[in-house]
Amino acid sequence: MVAIGSGIVTTARLSDIAAQAGVSEATVSRVLNGKAGVSATMRQTVLAALDVLGYERPTRLRQRSAGLIGLITPELSNPIFPALAQVIEQVLSRHGYTPVLCTQTPGGSTEDELVEMLVERGVAGIVFVSGLHADSTADHDRYAKLTGRQVPFVLINGYSERIAAPFISPDDRAAMWMAVQHLAELGHEQIGLAVGQRRYVPVLRKIEGFTAAMQSVLGKSAEEAEALVHHTLFSVEGGHAAAGALLDRGCTAIVCGSDMMALGAIRAVRQRGLSVPGDVSVVGFDDSPLIAFTEPPLTTIRQPVEAMATAAVDALLEEVGGNSAQRGEFMFQPELVMRGSTGANTHRAG
C-alpha cells in the first residue's frame, strides 16, 4: 500500500498508475514514497499518470511554484486557442511555473487591462496569443512600455518590426501555397479564399501566399486572384457568409482562414443543395482538436501547435532567466493534412 495525500493507493490502483505511466509498480512506489533511483523524466511521467487518473499528489511531491506566467488569449470558442493554451500551460508547469490564463471576450477586459492586472500580481513574464501585436493598425508602443517595466514577454501569431521581442508564427504564406497547389492538382481553377480583416498580419500573409500561388500555379492575374479573396469574421457564421459570396463567383473550392470558418463554408455549400467534396472542395486552417471527426473529415492546414508553444515558453524563460532570447520571428512550417473535404473538380470547363 502507498500513501497518497490524505488517502491510500491500493495495490490495484498502483497497477493502474503503472499501466498509465508505462512503468513498473516498483517505480511508481519509489516515486510516491520519495525514494531515490528514479530519473526526473520518469518521475514526471508517474506524476502525470497520477493526475490523469485523478489521484491527489502526495503533499511532499507537490511542486513549489517558481513564479506566475500570464497567458493572454482571444476567446476560447475557436478550438485552436485552448489547444495552444493547454500546451503552453503544460510546458510552463514542467518548468515549475504557474500559468495564469486570461481570456479576452467582446465587452470584457481589454488586453491592456489584463496586462495591468498581471503586472500588479507580479508575473515573471507574459505570453500573448493573437493579440494587438497582430493588428497592424494598433498602437504597438504599449509593448515598449511593458519592456520598460522589465516584464519579459513573447508573442504568438503576429509580427511587428516596431516590437523588440521574440515572435512565434506559422508560415501563413507557405500554408496558402500548399492549399492552392493541392486544389489545383485536383483540377480546381476557381479557388476562393475566406479570411478575416486585412489589418491583421496573419491575414495579410495568407493573402500574399494565396495570390502568389494563384498567379504561379494557375496563371491568374493579380487582379483575378484578389477578386477571389473574401473578408469576413473568423467564425462559423463568417465562413458561411464568405462561402455564399465565393460560390456566387463560381468557385469550386474554398480555402478558409480557420477550421471554424471551414465548417461554416460546408454548411453554406449544403444549403445550396451541393455536396462536399462532390461539388465544392473546402480546406480549413489550424487542424483543431476533433476536426478530423467532422463529416466529411476536414482537409486542413495544421499549425505545429506543440512546437510553437514549446518554443514560445523556451524563449520567454530565457528572458525571465536574464538571458536575452533572439529578437525577431521564429517561423514554423505548417503541414497540409488531406482528408475527405477535398476532391477532384467534376465541373471543369470543356
Side-chain angles (χ1 to χ4, degrees):
M1 305 261 277
V2 179
I4 287 194
S6 57
I8 300 291
V9 173
T10 65
T11 303
R13 289 176 181 172
L14 199 65
S15 66
D16 290 342
I17 298 168
Q20 177 69 33
V23 301
S24 68
E25 291 181 32
T27 297
V28 174
S29 181
R30 281 198 296 272
V31 171
L32 298 182
N33 287 299
K35 299 289 179 63
V38 182
S39 70
T41 302
M42 191 67 73
R43 177 182 176 280
Q44 192 62 40
T45 300
V46 171
L47 292 179
L50 206 67
D51 296 341
V52 168
L53 293 173
Y55 292 124
E56 187 180 354
R57 291 190 186 187
T59 304
R60 64 179 168 276
L61 294 182
R62 293 175 195 164
Q63 272 187 339
R64 184 170 294 176
S65 178
L68 303 176
I69 298 288
L71 171 57
I72 301 179
T73 72
E75 40 72 32
L76 296 178
S77 56
N78 185 333
I80 192 61
F81 296 128
L84 272 166
Q86 183 174 24
V87 179
I88 290 168
E89 291 182 340
Q90 287 171 345
V91 179
L92 284 171
S93 296
R94 284 203 296 269
H95 287 282
Y97 286 87
T98 302
V100 180
L101 178 62
C102 299
T103 306
Q104 297 179 72
T105 52
S109 297
T110 65
E111 180 177 306
D112 291 339
E113 289 168 344
L114 293 172
V115 166
E116 197 59 38
M117 179 272 290
L118 290 169
V119 173
E120 286 174 359
R121 281 158 178 74
V123 293
I126 301 175
V127 179
F128 293 90
V129 179
S130 299
L132 290 170
H133 66 280
D135 187 341
S136 61
T137 65
D139 180 3
H140 291 162
D141 287 345
R142 55 177 40 90
Y143 298 105
K145 292 173 184 173
L146 193 56
T147 299
R149 298 171 78 174
Q150 299 188 327
V151 178
F153 59 91
V154 64
L155 306 130
I156 299 177
N157 282 346
Y159 177 70
S160 170
E161 292 179 350
R162 304 196 301 273
I163 305 171
F167 290 85
I168 308 292
S169 301
D171 190 336
D172 290 295
R173 298 183 186 92
M176 294 299 102
W177 268 89
M178 291 176 189
V180 170
Q181 184 76 51
H182 169 60
L183 293 167
E185 288 171 355
L186 291 172
H188 296 278
E189 297 180 2
Q190 281 294 99
I191 302 170
L193 174 63
V195 283
Q197 299 307 304
R198 189 179 285 269
R199 70 177 189 270
Y200 296 110
V201 172
V203 171
L204 282 169
R205 289 174 169 179
K206 285 182 175 71
I207 294 170
E208 289 169 8
F210 174 79
T211 54
M214 292 291 282
Q215 291 173 73
S216 177
V217 177
L218 291 171
K220 301 281 186 184
S221 69
E223 293 75 20
E224 287 172 330
E226 280 281 353
L228 295 172
V229 176
H230 189 90
H231 296 280
T232 185
L233 300 175
F234 274 108
S235 63
V236 172
E237 295 76 17
H240 185 279
L246 292 169
L247 290 171
D248 288 342
R249 294 175 207 169
C251 290
T252 62
I254 300 170
V255 181
C256 298
S258 76
D259 290 337
M260 294 297 97
M261 294 170 72
L263 296 183
I266 291 172
R267 189 172 70 185
V269 171
R270 286 174 172 163
Q271 283 186 354
R272 294 200 178 195
L274 303 173
S275 70
V276 175
D279 299 300
V280 180
S281 288
V282 176
V283 178
F285 188 93
D286 286 335
D287 197 28
S288 314
L290 303 180
I291 211 67
F293 305 102
T294 59
E295 182 51 47
L298 185 65
T299 295
T300 188
I301 304 291
R302 176 181 293 158
Q303 284 200 58
V305 168
E306 189 157 343
M308 289 170 58
T310 301
V313 172
D314 288 346
L316 181 64
L317 295 186
E318 282 292 311
E319 298 274 335
V320 170
N323 305 313
S324 289
Q326 180 182 327
R327 300 294 189 268
E329 190 170 25
F330 298 86
M331 194 82 77
F332 287 77
Q333 189 70 9
E335 175 188 357
L336 175 67
V337 182
M338 289 178 281
R339 298 194 182 105
S341 66
T342 51
N345 178 15
T346 58
H347 303 284
R348 264 194 240 203

Short mmCIF file of all heavy atoms in Angstrom, two decimals, residues 240 244 247 265-280 346-347:
data_model
loop_
_atom_site.label_atom_id
_atom_site.label_comp_id
_atom_site.label_asym_id
_atom_site.label_seq_id
_atom_site.Cartn_x
_atom_site.Cartn_y
_atom_site.Cartn_z
N HIS A 240 -19.68 30.85 -43.37
CA HIS A 240 -20.94 30.62 -44.09
C HIS A 240 -21.20 31.78 -45.06
O HIS A 240 -21.51 31.57 -46.24
CB HIS A 240 -22.08 30.49 -43.09
CG HIS A 240 -23.40 30.13 -43.69
ND1 HIS A 240 -24.21 31.07 -44.29
CD2 HIS A 240 -24.05 28.95 -43.79
CE1 HIS A 240 -25.30 30.47 -44.73
NE2 HIS A 240 -25.23 29.19 -44.45
N GLY A 244 -20.92 31.74 -49.38
CA GLY A 244 -22.01 32.14 -50.26
C GLY A 244 -21.54 33.09 -51.33
O GLY A 244 -21.86 32.94 -52.52
N LEU A 247 -19.15 31.23 -53.80
CA LEU A 247 -19.88 30.35 -54.70
C LEU A 247 -20.54 31.15 -55.81
O LEU A 247 -20.60 30.72 -56.97
CB LEU A 247 -20.93 29.54 -53.92
CG LEU A 247 -20.39 28.47 -52.96
CD1 LEU A 247 -21.52 27.90 -52.11
CD2 LEU A 247 -19.68 27.36 -53.73
N ALA A 265 -18.45 27.19 -44.10
CA ALA A 265 -18.46 27.10 -45.56
C ALA A 265 -19.14 25.81 -46.02
O ALA A 265 -19.93 25.81 -46.97
CB ALA A 265 -17.02 27.15 -46.09
N ILE A 266 -18.86 24.72 -45.32
CA ILE A 266 -19.50 23.43 -45.67
C ILE A 266 -21.01 23.54 -45.51
O ILE A 266 -21.79 23.05 -46.35
CB ILE A 266 -18.92 22.30 -44.81
CG1 ILE A 266 -17.46 22.02 -45.21
CG2 ILE A 266 -19.76 21.02 -44.94
CD1 ILE A 266 -16.73 21.06 -44.30
N ARG A 267 -21.43 24.21 -44.44
CA ARG A 267 -22.86 24.39 -44.21
C ARG A 267 -23.50 25.19 -45.34
O ARG A 267 -24.60 24.87 -45.82
CB ARG A 267 -23.09 25.09 -42.87
CG ARG A 267 -24.56 25.14 -42.44
CD ARG A 267 -24.69 25.65 -41.03
NE ARG A 267 -24.37 27.08 -40.93
CZ ARG A 267 -24.32 27.75 -39.79
NH1 ARG A 267 -24.52 27.14 -38.65
NH2 ARG A 267 -24.03 29.05 -39.79
N ALA A 268 -22.81 26.23 -45.80
CA ALA A 268 -23.34 27.06 -46.89
C ALA A 268 -23.45 26.27 -48.19
O ALA A 268 -24.43 26.40 -48.94
CB ALA A 268 -22.44 28.28 -47.10
N VAL A 269 -22.45 25.44 -48.46
CA VAL A 269 -22.47 24.61 -49.66
C VAL A 269 -23.68 23.68 -49.63
O VAL A 269 -24.43 23.55 -50.62
CB VAL A 269 -21.16 23.79 -49.78
CG1 VAL A 269 -21.27 22.75 -50.91
CG2 VAL A 269 -19.97 24.71 -50.03
N ARG A 270 -23.90 23.05 -48.49
CA ARG A 270 -25.01 22.09 -48.38
C ARG A 270 -26.37 22.78 -48.47
O ARG A 270 -27.33 22.21 -49.01
CB ARG A 270 -24.89 21.33 -47.06
CG ARG A 270 -23.76 20.30 -47.09
CD ARG A 270 -23.54 19.65 -45.76
NE ARG A 270 -22.58 18.55 -45.86
CZ ARG A 270 -21.97 18.01 -44.82
NH1 ARG A 270 -22.20 18.47 -43.59
NH2 ARG A 270 -21.12 17.02 -44.98
N GLN A 271 -26.45 24.00 -47.97
CA GLN A 271 -27.72 24.72 -48.04
C GLN A 271 -28.12 25.04 -49.48
O GLN A 271 -29.28 25.32 -49.76
CB GLN A 271 -27.66 25.99 -47.19
CG GLN A 271 -27.78 25.72 -45.70
CD GLN A 271 -27.86 26.99 -44.88
OE1 GLN A 271 -27.70 28.11 -45.39
NE2 GLN A 271 -28.10 26.84 -43.58
N ARG A 272 -27.16 25.01 -50.37
CA ARG A 272 -27.44 25.24 -51.79
C ARG A 272 -27.74 23.92 -52.52
O ARG A 272 -27.83 23.90 -53.75
CB ARG A 272 -26.28 25.96 -52.45
CG ARG A 272 -26.08 27.37 -51.92
CD ARG A 272 -25.29 28.22 -52.87
NE ARG A 272 -25.17 29.57 -52.36
CZ ARG A 272 -24.78 30.60 -53.11
NH1 ARG A 272 -24.50 30.41 -54.39
NH2 ARG A 272 -24.68 31.80 -52.58
N GLY A 273 -27.82 22.84 -51.77
CA GLY A 273 -28.09 21.56 -52.39
C GLY A 273 -26.88 20.93 -53.03
O GLY A 273 -27.01 19.99 -53.83
N LEU A 274 -25.70 21.44 -52.70
CA LEU A 274 -24.46 20.90 -53.25
C LEU A 274 -23.77 20.03 -52.20
O LEU A 274 -24.12 20.07 -51.01
CB LEU A 274 -23.53 22.05 -53.66
CG LEU A 274 -24.10 23.05 -54.68
CD1 LEU A 274 -23.15 24.22 -54.87
CD2 LEU A 274 -24.38 22.34 -56.00
N SER A 275 -22.79 19.25 -52.63
CA SER A 275 -22.10 18.36 -51.70
C SER A 275 -20.62 18.72 -51.59
O SER A 275 -20.04 19.33 -52.49
CB SER A 275 -22.23 16.91 -52.16
OG SER A 275 -21.46 16.68 -53.33
N VAL A 276 -20.04 18.34 -50.44
CA VAL A 276 -18.60 18.47 -50.19
C VAL A 276 -18.06 17.05 -50.01
O VAL A 276 -18.55 16.31 -49.16
CB VAL A 276 -18.34 19.30 -48.92
CG1 VAL A 276 -16.85 19.33 -48.59
CG2 VAL A 276 -18.88 20.72 -49.05
N PRO A 277 -17.10 16.61 -50.83
CA PRO A 277 -16.37 17.38 -51.85
C PRO A 277 -16.90 17.19 -53.28
O PRO A 277 -16.23 17.62 -54.22
CB PRO A 277 -14.97 16.80 -51.74
CG PRO A 277 -15.23 15.34 -51.48
CD PRO A 277 -16.46 15.29 -50.61
N GLY A 278 -18.04 16.52 -53.45
CA GLY A 278 -18.53 16.21 -54.79
C GLY A 278 -18.64 17.41 -55.70
O GLY A 278 -18.24 17.38 -56.86
N ASP A 279 -19.20 18.52 -55.17
CA ASP A 279 -19.37 19.74 -55.96
C ASP A 279 -18.37 20.83 -55.60
O ASP A 279 -17.91 21.57 -56.46
CB ASP A 279 -20.80 20.29 -55.77
CG ASP A 279 -21.86 19.31 -56.24
OD1 ASP A 279 -21.83 18.96 -57.44
OD2 ASP A 279 -22.67 18.86 -55.41
N VAL A 280 -18.07 20.94 -54.31
CA VAL A 280 -17.18 22.00 -53.82
C VAL A 280 -16.20 21.41 -52.81
O VAL A 280 -16.61 20.67 -51.90
CB VAL A 280 -17.98 23.15 -53.16
CG1 VAL A 280 -17.03 24.25 -52.67
CG2 VAL A 280 -19.01 23.73 -54.12
N THR A 346 -15.27 18.16 -60.56
CA THR A 346 -16.11 17.45 -61.55
C THR A 346 -16.82 18.41 -62.48
O THR A 346 -17.64 18.01 -63.31
CB THR A 346 -17.16 16.58 -60.83
OG1 THR A 346 -17.96 17.43 -59.99
CG2 THR A 346 -16.49 15.52 -59.98
N HIS A 347 -16.55 19.72 -62.34
CA HIS A 347 -17.26 20.73 -63.14
C HIS A 347 -16.31 21.52 -64.02
O HIS A 347 -16.47 22.69 -64.26
CB HIS A 347 -18.02 21.69 -62.24
CG HIS A 347 -18.98 21.00 -61.32
ND1 HIS A 347 -20.18 20.50 -61.75
CD2 HIS A 347 -18.89 20.70 -59.99
CE1 HIS A 347 -20.81 19.93 -60.73
NE2 HIS A 347 -20.04 20.03 -59.65
#
